[in-house]
Amino acid sequence: PRSSRTIGLVPTLRRSARERGQRAGVSVDFESIGVDRRLPVDMESALFRITDEALAGFLARKPHRVSLGMDWGDSLVITLHAERAAVAVPESDLPPEGEALPPALAEMVADRRAQHAAALAAATTAATVKLPAKLARELEQRAATLGIDVSIDENGGSLRLVVPVDAPVEAGAPA
């Protein structure tokens, strides 16, 4: 968008994150580390759109918390993470593994261990806020066409963009 070229990628994403979070009723933590630089206008525009669409996708899934980070090192790394509060699963009070037990009791303990493992897996799944699969594919394809390395964690709750950063483009200089 024109605004990202006028005021820069960091302030534009910061404002978008704040406004989208307010509309969704979710606090979006925003952090930019390092000295932000101007990128070519097409790259800034694409990064804004990709990040903003991913943010909207996560917020539509009703997370409890979202964080958006930008790290300006040798490459610009943008990370977006969404999660829900995990449901507590009580610890099991089963005998230690490998303890000699009568066969019927050993079978009952094994069943309870499996139930506990299933409850832990269900709690982890419930706490994960996934990007919609179609949106994730679209964002990956769009980023790839621009040479942006994109990865979405296996659970789908985090997006990471790595953008090569060449010599800085000063405000007002041709891209």
Side-chain angles (χ1 to χ4, degrees):
R2 194 183 109 124
S3 61
S4 74
R5 190 68 202 152
T6 307
I7 63 173
L9 185 60
V10 172
T12 304
L13 280 175
R14 184 185 317 272
R15 183 183 66 232
S16 175
R18 182 179 56 247
E19 290 172 0
R20 282 194 179 279
Q22 285 173 344
R23 284 192 302 267
V26 176
S27 176
V28 179
D29 298 325
F30 183 93
E31 180 179 39
S32 180
I33 299 170
V35 178
D36 60 310
R37 301 182 278 268
R38 297 311 301 259
L39 302 172
V41 67
D42 58 333
M43 183 62 76
E44 282 190 358
S45 181
L47 283 171
F48 172 78
R49 280 195 223 111
I50 290 168
T51 306
D52 191 55
E53 287 178 34
L55 177 61
F58 278 129
L59 289 171
R61 299 296 178 121
K62 307 291 186 209
H64 293 146
R65 189 171 59 222
V66 176
S67 62
L68 172 56
M70 301 177 74
D71 187 346
W72 295 86
D74 293 336
S75 296
L76 167 58
V77 179
I78 299 174
T79 55
L80 191 56
H81 179 76
E83 62 186 21
R84 291 185 190 95
V87 174
V89 176
E91 287 295 318
S92 68
D93 58 350
L94 299 171
E97 291 226 29
E99 185 172 314
L101 300 171
L105 185 55
E107 187 176 326
M108 185 175 72
V109 167
D111 287 345
R112 291 223 178 123
R113 280 191 209 293
Q115 290 170 359
H116 187 259
L120 287 172
T124 299
T125 298
T128 301
V129 180
K130 288 186 175 190
L131 270 180
K134 181 180 178 196
L135 176 61
R137 279 191 308 275
E138 289 171 2
L139 297 177
E140 287 174 325
Q141 289 169 355
R142 204 172 327 149
T145 63
L146 294 165
I148 299 170
D149 179 37
V150 61
S151 58
I152 298 172
D153 76 351
E154 64 187 44
N155 295 324
S158 293
L159 172 79
R160 184 172 192 259
L161 304 170
V162 180
V163 184
V165 177
D166 296 324
V169 175
E170 296 302 322

